[in-house]
Amino acid sequence: MTITEEKPRSAQEPASPGRVGAGVFSSRQLLVSLPEALRKLDPRHQLHNPVMFVVWVGSALTTVYAVLDPSVFTILVAIWLWFTVVFANLAEAVAEGRGKAQAESLRRTKKETVARRLTASGTEEQVPGVELRIGDLVVVEAGETIPGDGDVVEGIATVDESAITGESAPVIRESGGDRSAVTGGTTVLSDRIVVKVTTKPGETFVDRMIALVEGASRQKTPNEIALTILLSTLTIIFLLAVVALQPMAGYSGSGQSVIVLTALLVCLIPTTIGALLSAIGIAGMDRLVQRNVLATSGRAVEAAGDVSTLLLDKTGTITFGNRKATELIPVGGTGSEQLTEAARLSSLADGTPEGRSIVELTGPATEDPGGEFVPFTAQTRMSGIDLGSRQVRKGAASAVRDWVRGYGGEFPDETERVVDEISQQGGTPLVVAEQTGGRAFVRGVIRLSDVVKPGMRERFGELRTMGIKTVMITGDNPLTAKAIAEDAGVDDYLAEAKPEDKMALIHKEQEGGRLVAMTGDGTNDAPALAASDVGVAMNTGTMAAKEAGNMVDLDSDPTKLIEVVEIGKQLLITRGALTTFSIANDLAKYFAILPAMFVTIFPQLAGLNILHLHSPQSAILSAVIFNALIIVVLIPLALRGVRYKPSSASALLRRNLLIYGVGGVVTPFLGIWLVDLVVRFIPGIG
């Protein structure tokens, strides 16, 4: 069994199948969601979407006319108006269905457990997990399921969290520190821990996930509400325009039927974006869940798309976290081979990540050197080996200096210069020394570098292109922080950062009208997470951090924050692109229907019939059919999202206008013309 501190999921690695991954869109999802789409025909549901409610009323009205005065044209218009409403419901039902499938897989992870609760006297009593209350202490041993969310207050254990995160490798949870939080439904694999319950039954982390991914607690975001108001306003304007059109048509001697006027209204109002708006919002939450990020609200996802400042911890986010040996620098006339051998021997007993990296750099010993290993300790700050009368040591410059001088040796000025130079460049120097025949001397210096993760400079460059400022947060001294910041390519850094410094930086950025995002996992990060517009808490972190943030990363991968911002931007871009397409779409349908309505009294309008549609009735029916079918065609795009490429706001606007603006004008002309080629052969459509 391999035990890991944490194994972040790759950005490209998909979520676990059947758990929280929504999977690829398929036509089968349309069929499965059709019954739910039909149930949504309830007018009480349609009232939540003003645009589609108008279409619903128009469908009901044309149905009445189709019954009272039936004709092929009237019946077909009524049928396709109902299809328009059903297809709009279908978009929402497919999006919700994906979330409900995820919720069902999460429900299967919930287990009714019997908890071993500690009493005030220290004895154990067995109670059902549903009876646990906040503050209760429960004992969990190897093979047992953790009965509820909480913090480890005693002991250390390996925990299988695969049911929640999808990650097969167990992780370590221990009392104290920032890796004390445990989730109900996960399993302890070894040892014994005492957990303090922090949530009520029914309000656990898994319960919250279920409610969120199935959409039960989804609320419209501010931008979504604003767009709904805009669409409602446009609908009212077009409704008044169509109502006012009838008196003018009657005065001209060409009064229009209710069927034609209703068809005109439905084709002119923004039905496309009105039908897809809810699905776009649900799909945005869904894409986060696919990447194992739980957002507590759609507002958080939307805010991520508007973020203009990213606060990123250095360790584990920008750098690997464990410093690595990158260079050996001989001093005092020592040869490189001598230094390599001494560095390797001095590190064989050093079990720290730094010690292991030195062995990797110098190459493993070809044979057992024998002798007595001297392990690294926090007190001595050195490690090494004793080979009879020969002693080899490696450690911090001050510790090795004292050791060398203790044997009457000298610590050369050259060594001091190299040590200072490495420190100023953001590295960590380790000095290697030997003692032979009662006298010690320095062999050289090992450079330890806090290695920046590959590709970070490029990713920060992309964020800069998007107008996002990146700030590295670190506890390092300013010199080290500056060197790493330059190497990583971040815009700014905050060195020797304390919790109050993070808060001050967040407030300073927000005063300038910028939205701020950050990650954190400790209790000391909670105030900053709460103050940030987007606060991504690590699942491994404390319960205080998870409660303070508005997102939780189940993989506990700090670099996920960059992906979260990209998903938020994709949500906003998708909504904007489809809104542009919808409005351009309506403009094109205008030129298909209006000339057909009045060509009999104004023959000059025939010049606007650029598609050469067969007849007024076929033109109107073709527009209505296209209006319904385009919703189905765009459902996969609404769920998948418009492809996102890091670029400036002006470049995104040009791209949207070119692809979805021009495309929204051209597509209806082509679509209506193709539909008309079929419709003209229907008997009764003159």
Side-chain angles (χ1 to χ4, degrees):
M1 177 178 68
T2 302
I3 298 175
T4 61
E5 284 297 321
E6 212 61 46
K7 183 181 176 184
R9 187 184 304 277
S10 166
Q12 280 73 38
E13 183 181 345
S16 300
R19 185 182 57 82
V20 291
V24 180
F25 175 82
S26 68
S27 56
R28 182 177 178 275
Q29 292 174 332
L30 295 176
L31 296 176
V32 172
S33 303
L34 186 57
E36 180 63 24
L38 295 175
R39 282 192 287 270
K40 289 178 179 289
L41 288 174
D42 186 332
R44 291 170 297 183
H45 176 81
Q46 296 300 318
L47 274 171
H48 297 293
N49 189 334
V51 176
M52 297 315 300
F53 179 70
V54 170
V55 181
W56 186 94
V57 172
S59 303
L61 186 61
T62 54
T63 301
V64 172
Y65 275 86
V67 173
L68 296 178
D69 186 17
S71 69
V72 173
F73 175 72
T74 304
I75 293 172
L76 287 176
V77 169
I79 290 173
W80 279 99
L81 288 182
W82 280 117
F83 276 151
T84 304
V85 181
V86 171
F87 292 161
N89 293 343
L90 192 61
E92 185 176 25
V94 170
E96 290 177 349
R98 287 149 67 102
K100 288 176 181 177
Q102 296 164 10
E104 186 57 35
S105 67
L106 286 169
R107 283 192 180 93
R108 291 196 293 268
T109 68
K110 294 185 64 178
K111 300 177 182 177
E112 294 299 329
T113 57
V114 176
R116 297 162 56 188
R117 184 168 60 187
L118 291 176
T119 64
S121 61
T123 59
E124 292 183 17
E125 60 176 356
Q126 293 192 344
V127 298
V130 294
E131 293 185 8
L132 292 175
R133 294 294 179 265
I134 296 176
D136 285 349
L137 298 177
V138 295
V139 176
V140 191
E141 294 186 346
E144 296 179 346
T145 300
I146 297 173
D149 294 356
D151 289 321
V152 178
V153 295
E154 181 183 319
I156 179 172
T158 55
V159 180
D160 176 11
E161 296 186 339
S162 59
I164 305 299
T165 67
E167 183 57 66
S168 58
V171 294
I172 295 175
R173 294 291 176 262
E174 58 186 326
S175 59
D178 295 337
R179 295 184 181 272
S180 61
V182 290
T183 305
T186 57
T187 305
V188 173
L189 299 180
S190 70
D191 303 294
R192 173 186 183 274
I193 53 175
V194 177
V195 177
K196 183 178 182 180
V197 177
T198 56
T199 58
K200 300 177 182 177
E203 298 179 5
T204 65
F205 194 63
V206 174
D207 289 319
R208 288 167 55 200
M209 285 180 66
I210 291 171
L212 287 163
V213 299
E214 70 180 357
S217 58
R218 194 186 93 85
Q219 297 178 342
K220 288 186 177 181
T221 62
N223 283 354
E224 198 173 343
I225 293 172
L227 184 55
T228 300
I229 294 173
L230 173 62
L231 298 180
S232 301
T233 303
L234 289 175
T235 301
I236 293 172
I237 291 172
F238 281 121
L239 177 62
L240 294 175
V242 170
V243 170
L245 193 63
Q246 180 67 338
M248 290 187 290
Y251 179 78
S252 302
S254 181
Q256 300 295 319
S257 67
V258 173
I259 302 298
V260 172
L261 292 173
T262 303
L264 174 65
L265 175 62
V266 170
C267 288
L268 291 184
I269 63 177
T271 51
T272 306
I273 185 61
L276 299 173
L277 186 59
S278 179
I280 293 170
I282 296 172
M285 298 278 287
D286 178 69
R287 282 192 290 275
L288 270 185
V289 173
Q290 288 182 55
R291 288 163 176 80
N292 273 3
V293 178
L294 172 66
T296 57
S297 69
R299 182 189 297 264
V301 186
E302 195 171 84
D306 285 329
V307 160
S308 49
T309 300
L310 281 185
L311 306 186
L312 301 161
D313 275 332
K314 182 204 74 174
T315 305
T317 304
I318 296 174
T319 67
F320 282 107
N322 296 326
R323 292 167 297 178
K324 295 185 177 182
T326 55
E327 186 181 6
L328 302 178
I329 305 173
V331 297
T334 300
S336 60
E337 292 185 0
Q338 289 176 304
L339 175 57
T340 299
E341 181 205 19
R344 181 174 63 250
L345 290 172
S346 65
S347 303
L348 291 175
D350 187 353
T352 64
E354 292 86 353
R356 293 195 297 270
S357 75
I358 294 171
V359 175
E360 291 176 6
L361 180 67
T362 59
T366 55
E367 58 183 23
D368 186 354
E372 181 181 350
F373 289 115
V374 179
F376 175 88
T377 66
Q379 289 73 31
T380 63
R381 294 189 297 159
M382 293 190 302
S383 65
I385 190 171
D386 292 340
L387 300 168
S389 61
R390 181 188 180 194
Q391 295 178 319
V392 185
R393 295 290 186 272
K394 169 230 39 179
S398 58
V400 175
R401 182 192 300 115
D402 294 341
W403 183 80
V404 168
R405 289 176 177 173
Y407 282 97
E410 295 184 359
F411 199 80
D413 292 341
E414 181 187 2
T415 306
E416 294 279 11
R417 179 183 58 77
V418 172
V419 167
D420 291 342
E421 185 178 291
I422 292 174
S423 298
Q424 291 174 0
Q425 293 173 351
T428 302
L430 293 179
V431 179
V432 180
E434 264 191 56
Q435 182 274 128
T436 303
R439 186 172 181 81
F441 48 90
V442 176
R443 286 292 190 193
V445 183
I446 304 170
R447 181 195 297 270
L448 294 180
S449 301
D450 207 347
V451 181
V452 174
K453 293 180 178 179
M456 294 306 293
R457 175 175 285 275
E458 290 73 18
R459 296 193 77 173
F460 291 142
E462 292 176 354
L463 292 171
R464 195 174 297 111
T465 302
M466 295 153 49
I468 296 177
K469 175 184 177 183
T470 52
V471 182
M472 183 184 76
I473 309 294
T474 178
D476 290 338
N477 62 69
L479 284 175
T480 301
K482 180 181 179 181
I484 295 174
E486 291 176 351
D487 190 20
V490 295
D491 298 312
D492 202 356
Y493 64 90
L494 179 64
E496 298 176 343
K498 298 184 289 293
E500 54 269 28
D501 297 328
K502 295 180 186 179
M503 288 288 291
L505 178 60
I506 290 171
H507 291 317
K508 178 182 176 182
E509 292 292 328
Q510 289 173 332
E511 285 174 1
R514 304 169 74 93
L515 297 187
V516 179
M518 73 161 288
T519 61
D521 57 4
T523 301
N524 62 339
D525 291 324
L529 286 170
S532 300
D533 300 284
V534 178
V536 183
M538 302 294 100
N539 189 42
T540 56
T542 61
M543 195 57 64
K546 289 196 280 189
E547 291 293 337
N550 50 22
M551 292 187 187
V552 177
D553 177 20
L554 302 181
D555 294 331
S556 300
D557 177 7
T559 61
K560 193 77 69 69
L561 179 59
I562 298 175
E563 289 183 59
V564 167
V565 170
E566 292 176 350
I567 292 170
K569 286 196 172 294
Q570 186 184 35
L571 169 66
L572 297 180
I573 290 169
T574 301
R575 187 185 294 154
L578 292 183
T579 300
T580 302
F581 183 90
S582 179
I583 294 175
N585 202 31
D586 297 334
L587 178 65
K589 285 180 287 187
Y590 172 90
F591 284 98
I593 294 182
L594 280 186
M597 289 175 61
F598 297 104
V599 71
T600 54
I601 57 172
F602 298 112
Q604 299 89 342
L605 290 177
L608 293 178
N609 186 17
I610 59 178
L611 299 179
H612 302 291
L613 301 178
H614 178 64
S615 67
Q617 285 190 332
S618 72
I620 293 169
L621 181 59
S622 297
V624 171
I625 293 174
F626 173 82
N627 192 61
L629 293 178
I630 195 64
I631 295 173
V632 179
V633 172
L634 291 176
I635 288 177
L637 182 61
L639 298 180
R640 186 179 64 249
V642 174
R643 185 181 178 187
Y644 167 73
K645 288 183 178 180
S647 56
S648 64
S650 58
L652 285 174
L653 178 60
R654 286 195 302 271
R655 177 170 173 259
N656 266 8
L657 290 177
L658 180 62
I659 297 176
Y660 297 98
V662 176
V665 172
V666 173
T667 303
F669 282 109
L670 180 61
I672 291 172
W673 177 73
L674 290 174
V675 174
D676 181 74
L677 293 179
V678 177
V679 166
R680 66 178 62 184
F681 294 107
I682 298 177
I685 303 297

